Amino acid sequence: MKLIDSHGTDQVLDDLAEPVSEDRADLVLSTAHKSKGLRWHQVKVAGDFPDPKATKNDKPGPIPS
């Protein structure tokens, strides 16, 4: 929704109609399942992704790789 709010429906649809290969992309949108095992320099996880289980000190544990 933020992409549509920022760039407009027409721009988002135009961009989706002509995707580029991943190695030429500035941004890659993916599901967690599909991206598992891939390596990128930077990753942003959406807020609806479940938090890792807490460790013994009740802090979030590491995200498994």
Side-chain angles (χ1 to χ4, degrees):
M1 293 304 299
K2 289 180 183 179
L3 286 173
I4 292 172
D5 289 343
S6 298
H7 303 284
T9 305
D10 291 337
Q11 181 65 52
V12 173
L13 290 174
D14 288 346
D15 291 344
L16 291 173
E18 297 182 34
V20 297
S21 61
E22 183 180 319
D23 61 328
R24 293 182 48 225
D26 294 326
L27 173 70
V28 177
L29 296 176
S30 178
T31 63
H33 179 78
K34 184 163 181 150
S35 67
K36 187 174 180 180
L38 299 176
R39 296 179 185 263
W40 290 307
H41 295 288
Q42 184 178 26
V43 174
K44 183 171 183 176
V45 179
D48 61 347
F49 197 80
D51 290 332
K53 292 181 182 178
T55 60
K56 292 178 185 175
N57 60 5
D58 288 329
K59 293 187 178 181
I63 297 175
S65 55

